[in-house]
Amino acid sequence: MKTIDYDLVGVGIGPFNLSIAALAAPKSELSTQFLERKPEFAWHPGLLLNHAKMQTSFLKDLVTAVDPTSPYSFLNYLVQKQKFYPFTARGDFMISRLEFSDYMAWVAKQLPNTQFDAGVSDVRFEGDHFVIQSNGETLTSKHLVVGTGTQPVVPDCAKGKLTDNCFHAHEMMQRKPDLRGKRVVIVGGGQTGADIFQHIFAGDFGKPRQLDWVSRRANLEGLDESCFSDQFFMPDYVNQFYHLDKAQQAREVSRQKLTSDGITDDCLSTFIRPCIMTSMCCKTLSGGAFNLIRNS
């Protein structure tokens, strides 16, 4: 009988597969390997804006909900980095994306079952196991977890017009554009659009001549963080959701949009006061879309 190299191989090392890798690493009875084509861990580097914050509690880190004693918890990261007391002293338990990204990179560097610069060129299933080709090597595994992440969504009307002056938000911190004296339009009314608006409004990329924020939503809609909405992310609900048919799943996801794609109160309150104090214009466009304009 052919020997299988691993119990589980993961393709891609983002937050989801990194979580599995961190939970699996201490299990001596489980052989795992996670592969990533990038040279090091990177989590949406173009969106790591200086003041952008996470939408979830720091307790919802990579491991705590399953193993609160794990050495790969966010709390242990704070202790090991000598940040615990400054973190508790600031009285704000909302963590920034920069902090969470640094935490995940810290975990990734410690794990014995992660491999970077390891692109996967082919995966096939043979009999009772998977065969994975990576950097000229062949790996076999009983199970496979694909966590390659999402791709930026660009509207069809803009796909042929992407230039240095028209680009997706995920490139913002890589481009760091000089927006001084320019007319700027942000399209999209979710958290990412809000973060971009907040930083441009604050002048982080230079003061634009005019700043427009356009959304098909009827208003700036806040994140749904109620205790009952949080049930959507708990294991019991996830198990029930898994057994729904595809049509029901699609309806449920549509109804739950603001539990993940609304704007946090912290973000809204950060720029609502300066918006009121400056010459702002809010208007409803045809079809119920929302437009927020700042003129210099």
Side-chain angles (χ1 to χ4, degrees), residues 29-223:
E29 70 277 15
L30 192 64
S31 58
T32 62
Q33 185 71 6
F34 291 79
L35 309 171
E36 169 59 53
R37 62 181 173 83
K38 295 175 184 174
E40 59 185 5
F41 182 84
W43 180 59
H44 301 304
L47 286 172
L48 294 180
L49 298 150
N50 292 333
H51 307 295
K53 294 187 176 181
M54 297 291 292
Q55 291 184 323
T56 56
S57 165
F58 69 89
L59 290 175
K60 296 180 180 179
D61 60 12
L62 297 171
V63 294
T64 296
V66 176
D67 181 7
T69 64
S70 170
Y72 306 118
S73 69
F74 183 76
L75 284 176
N76 192 43
Y77 157 80
L78 292 177
V79 172
Q80 297 301 323
K81 290 278 190 173
Q82 298 184 340
K83 295 181 177 182
F84 180 82
Y85 289 107
F87 179 78
T88 55
R90 76 189 192 191
D92 177 10
F93 293 105
M94 292 287 291
I95 63 175
S96 70
R97 288 186 188 175
L98 282 167
E99 285 177 299
F100 201 69
S101 178
D102 188 63
Y103 154 64
M104 290 190 290
W106 172 80
V107 172
K109 288 178 181 178
Q110 298 182 74
L111 292 175
N113 56 350
T114 57
Q115 183 179 350
F116 291 87
D117 266 330
V120 173
S121 57
D122 184 65
V123 175
R124 63 183 185 275
F125 188 70
E126 293 186 356
D128 61 350
H129 65 276
F130 291 92
V131 179
I132 303 102
Q133 298 291 334
S134 175
N135 289 1
E137 296 184 9
T138 301
L139 293 76
T140 56
S141 176
K142 297 176 183 177
H143 304 281
L144 183 75
V145 180
V146 178
T148 52
T150 58
Q151 294 298 315
V153 177
V154 177
D156 291 339
C157 61
K159 285 181 178 177
K161 301 178 176 63
L162 297 179
T163 64
D164 289 341
N165 292 321
C166 178
F167 53 88
H168 193 277
H170 83 286
E171 300 178 83
M172 194 68 183
M173 291 306 292
Q174 293 162 330
R175 289 178 175 270
K176 295 183 178 178
D178 181 0
L179 302 179
R180 289 176 295 178
K182 296 181 179 179
R183 180 181 177 185
V184 180
V185 178
I186 301 166
V187 179
Q191 183 67 52
T192 298
D195 287 334
I196 297 292
F197 176 86
Q198 177 184 347
H199 286 75
I200 295 178
F201 187 89
D204 289 10
F205 303 96
K207 184 180 180 181
R209 176 172 58 87
Q210 180 171 320
L211 176 59
D212 294 58
W213 183 11
V214 182
S215 171
R216 61 184 170 185
R217 300 180 183 183
N219 203 340
L220 299 179
E221 297 177 322
L223 184 70

Side-chain angles (χ1 to χ4, degrees), residues 226-292:
S226 70
C227 56
F228 288 102
S229 294
D230 207 41
Q231 300 286 324
F232 295 142
F233 303 99
M234 295 186 181
D236 286 346
Y237 177 82
V238 174
N239 290 335
Q240 293 179 43
F241 180 87
Y242 180 80
H243 294 289
L244 298 177
D245 62 49
K246 296 299 181 183
Q248 286 179 299
Q249 288 181 348
R251 286 195 296 271
E252 287 300 310
V253 169
S254 177
R255 291 169 184 159
Q256 299 165 15
K257 188 174 183 64
L258 293 179
T259 61
S260 62
D261 199 35
I263 305 170
T264 62
D265 285 342
D266 180 77
C267 184
L268 286 172
S269 62
T270 296
F271 63 72
I272 190 62
R273 292 184 183 89
C275 282
I276 293 172
M277 297 300 292
T278 57
S279 56
M280 301 297 298
C281 172
C282 304
K283 62 182 180 180
T284 300
L285 306 177
S286 60
F290 179 78
N291 193 21
L292 180 63

